[in-house]
Amino acid sequence: MLSNFKVVLVETSHPGNIGAVARAMKNMQMHELRLVTPKFFPHADATARASGADDVLKSACVYPDLPAAIADCRIVLGASARDRTISWPALTARQCAEKWGGNPHNSPNIGLVFGRENSGLKNHELDLCHYLLRIPCNKAYSSLNLAAAVQVVCYELFVASGQEQTTNVGDQGEVPIATTEQMEAFYLHLQQTMADIGFLHPERSKSIMRRLRRIFNRTQLDTKELDILRGILRFSQNHNTK
C-alpha cells in the first residue's frame, strides 16, 4: 500500500466528487484521504459514488485549512493546469511517480493537493507546495474532472511502486504453440481440402498457399487451435464426398 502518499482535497463543493476520489484511490491501493473544509461531508452522494470504497471515506480526516492538512508532509505537490506568472518547479504525474513511487516505504510523507472543481488552488495555497503537479493533456482543453485527475496520479504511483498485476485470459500461455512439423501437415491438409472442394486451381495454388501461410504464421496457432482447424477440414472433406 502506498501509505506515504496523502491525497488532499481543498474545499470540494460536490460530495459526489469526494466519493469518486475515494474509489479512484482504493483502485490503486491508496487509502489516506484528507479534506480541507469540504462543502458537504459526510454525505449520501459521496457514499454512493465511492462504490464500495467506504473504508476510505470513513477514515478521511477533515481539516480547517491546508497548512493543518499537510503539517506532517515533507514534500507537497499542488495539482495545477494553469500556467503561473512566477516560475515554479513542476513535475508531471509520471515524473512524480518515478521520483518517489519506486520505493514508497523509504519515501517521506508526500502530500498530493487538489484544488476546487471550478478554480483549482489559489496562489497562497500553491505557496505551500514544493512542486506544481502536472497532468499532460490537450492544451485546448486541459481541465480534468477532479476524480479523473486523482485517478491518473494514483495510477502512475501504483505502476511505479511495482504493484501492477498481470493477468492471463483463459488458457493463454498454457497450450503450446504448434510446431513447424504440425504446421506443415496442416498446410498439406488445407491444400488438399481446397482442391477437393474445387476452390484451388493449379495455376493459382502456389500464390494462394503462400498468402495463407503468411496469415497463419502471423497468428502463431497453438495446438488446440490447430486441432479445431484440422477438424473443420476433415468435416469439409467428408461432406464433399457424400
Side-chain angles (χ1 to χ4, degrees):
M1 187 170 65
L2 298 165
S3 57
N4 58 307
F5 291 94
K6 326 297 179 182
V7 174
V8 183
L9 306 183
V10 178
E11 294 185 3
T12 309
S13 59
H14 301 291
N17 284 335
I18 297 175
V21 166
R23 179 179 182 178
M25 292 173 61
K26 188 166 184 177
N27 285 154
M28 300 300 143
Q29 296 188 10
M30 294 176 65
H31 291 78
E32 189 158 347
L33 176 60
R34 301 180 178 187
L35 307 173
V36 177
T37 58
K39 189 172 183 179
F40 302 106
F41 187 81
H43 196 279
D45 287 349
T47 303
R49 290 286 301 278
S51 292
D54 300 328
D55 54 332
V56 178
L57 285 182
K58 190 174 294 185
S59 62
C61 295
V62 178
Y63 294 84
D65 53 40
L66 182 56
I70 59 174
D72 63 337
C73 295
R74 297 185 184 276
I75 301 292
V76 180
L77 297 97
S80 178
R82 292 186 290 119
D83 291 328
R84 303 286 168 168
T85 304
I86 300 175
S87 179
W88 212 274
L91 293 173
T92 65
R94 184 160 298 178
Q95 288 170 334
C96 169
E98 291 170 350
K99 192 174 182 67
W100 292 294
N103 194 0
H105 299 293
N106 294 328
S107 296
N109 279 350
I110 298 173
L112 305 170
V113 183
F114 297 84
R116 303 153 190 83
E117 293 98 328
N118 61 347
S119 59
L121 294 171
K122 296 178 180 179
N123 286 333
H124 73 273
E125 292 162 340
L126 282 172
D127 288 340
L128 301 171
C129 302
H130 300 91
Y131 298 90
L132 295 184
L133 181 58
R134 300 284 200 176
I135 299 174
C137 55
N138 182 2
K139 290 183 178 180
Y141 191 67
S142 60
S143 178
L144 284 173
N145 170 270
L146 176 60
V150 173
Q151 183 78 79
V152 170
V153 175
C154 291
Y155 168 76
E156 293 288 358
L157 292 167
F158 180 77
V159 172
S161 69
Q163 298 184 75
E164 187 177 18
Q165 299 176 354
T166 57
T167 57
N168 288 329
V169 179
D171 59 2
Q172 185 178 356
E174 295 178 7
V175 181
I177 299 296
T179 65
T180 301
E181 183 179 21
Q182 290 170 324
M183 289 302 299
E184 288 302 316
F186 165 69
Y187 292 134
L188 287 174
H189 194 174
L190 178 60
Q191 186 171 4
Q192 184 60 54
T193 302
M194 290 191 296
D196 291 344
I197 65 177
F199 177 81
L200 201 62
H201 299 285
E203 65 273 11
R204 297 175 55 199
S205 62
K206 287 186 178 180
S207 62
I208 289 176
M209 286 306 303
R210 184 170 292 116
R211 288 184 179 277
L212 288 171
R213 280 175 174 270
R214 287 169 58 187
I215 292 172
F216 288 113
N217 285 341
R218 284 200 301 268
T219 60
Q220 291 190 306
L221 296 171
D222 64 36
T223 55
K224 185 179 292 186
E225 293 165 339
L226 196 61
D227 287 343
I228 293 171
L229 291 175
R230 295 290 297 272
I232 295 172
L233 295 178
R234 283 191 293 271
F235 179 86
S236 298
Q237 287 178 311
N238 293 335
H239 183 74
N240 189 59
T241 58
K242 291 181 179 179

